[in-house]
Amino acid sequence: MNSALKLGLLFFSFALAACSTSPTVRPQAWSTPEAVVAPSSFSGVHGLAIDAKGRLLAGSVLGNSIWEVDRQTGAARILIGGPEGQADDIAIGPNGEMAWTSFLQGVIRYRENDGAAIRVLAKDLPGINSLAFDQKNGKLYASQVFLGDAMWEIDVAGNQPPRQIAKGMGGFNGFEVGPDGMIYGPLWFKGQVTKMNPADGAITIIADGFKVPAAANLDGKGNLWVVDTRAGELLKVNLASGQKTMVQKLSSAIDNLAIAPEGTIYVSNMADNGVQAFDPATGSLRQLTSGKLAVPGGIKLDGKQLFVADVFGFRQVDINSGAVRDIFRMQASELEYPFSVGLSATHYALTSWFTGSVQIVNRATQKTVAMLHGLKAPMDAQFLPDGSVVYAEIATGTITRASGADFSERKVIASDLAGPVQLLVGPNNDLYVTEAAGNLTRIQLADGSKTIVADKLALPEGLAFTPWGSIVVAEAAARRLTEIDLATGARHTVAENLAIGLEAGPGLPPPYVATGVAVSADGTVYVSADRNNAIYKIRPR
């Protein structure tokens, strides 16, 4: 081998070794953010309706908005923004008027046309879910599901309080009023499709044996079309005989449907930010719009795989290809609307402030090994080296350690925190936490002592260590990523003008969907974008 070739091979080996080790010095600059997972419309999509103008309308609860979807191209735009636009379901009245349910706010809103003022018809109805007009007389009915279980008649004039028709039905979800004045809809928790007499609340079972029927609409031809969210199916039920037929296989996490005047059936899927169009005459199915992620929150990186708490799903993203794989989907698993994810070599910890839970899942078997319920708006949970879990409750300002069998042994290790949001386990028996009030705080696990590392941050949320020892924090209110030097406190902007910081509605935790941050071994920063459902990467330069 000649000397030039030897020198070349030696240089190549040094270069390869340099590329394979983690950088130890912070970069001088950062590249422009690149999409690993492309953006999509909505923030979870739920109720659908065809209005008097022939427009397809779609509601989003977490996104606090009503969207208009082009029925030909799938292009979507916000018709009514937040917080007034929060909509779990949308109904169109006989004169073109529109009403919608703001599920998390417990409010029913109404407007007569696009130019009219929005009015509140009813409030203090937690879990107000589905609603529909009687097309003959204009009466409006609405149901509570999940956070309540009742059917109401709503005074459209706003002069009378809601009249309770029935309660304890079993989850009367997406429904429609028939030409006979009866209310046709599914019982979510009983696997039945029924009709209700609005005069006295009497219920008649039409068909049963569904897994989780989510919504039902009439086609005017003697059929009731039903979507089963757990089975991922579109079914047709004959009203006269009760016979049901599975017509189209779909994905799980279906939420609602709407039937256009010409017969096209539109179906929404909250886990896919998707709307599909089905033609019952030809059997053709068309994907009108969709996304790879629903509402990405907390993220954790393991090698080349990024794990994403996606609210309506739990996903795995390959950071090289951008390919997205479902681990769990809502309604088809035990998943409970995860907003954050913790990761160990053997387990996941999925946290939901909405259900007040931390779900511990075995990574090998994908079985839930423990479910911690009854927590006060937990925002995040992370594993300690000994296998125990620490979780932060924003409603109590505490961090608790859970250990032992079923993680039943609980010990508060820190309190009086100003809105703990996200956690990061440090290398020296310490814990870093972002506080909604604007702090990055270090906590000594041994005694719970606290030290503010950085203050006056703009709603800090997700955080992660860099290979050179600093911490990158998402400042959601400023829509930027900031790098903080732990030794000097110096700050450097990693990226700004990001699609993060989705606004919460009234009475909800200000962090809402906590922005996730992760950093790879080569210093690349990954961030979840809850405003457009994308994942971005920012490379060090």
Side-chain angles (χ1 to χ4, degrees), residues 166-206:
K167 63 179 180 178
M169 303 93 64
F172 209 104
N173 212 51
F175 63 84
E176 187 174 8
V177 181
D180 57 358
M182 298 292 106
I183 304 172
Y184 292 82
L187 294 181
W188 180 287
F189 298 107
K190 294 184 177 180
Q192 299 170 340
V193 170
T194 66
K195 67 176 179 180
M196 175 188 290
N197 187 331
D200 57 9
I203 291 177
T204 302
I205 298 172
I206 298 172

Side-chain angles (χ1 to χ4, degrees), residues 281-306:
T282 64
S284 65
L285 179 70
R286 182 166 60 99
Q287 188 73 50
L288 198 57
T289 183
S290 67
K292 297 295 185 181
L293 297 172
V295 194
I299 59 177
K300 284 291 179 291
L301 187 62
D302 187 3
K304 299 299 182 183
Q305 301 302 313
L306 192 68

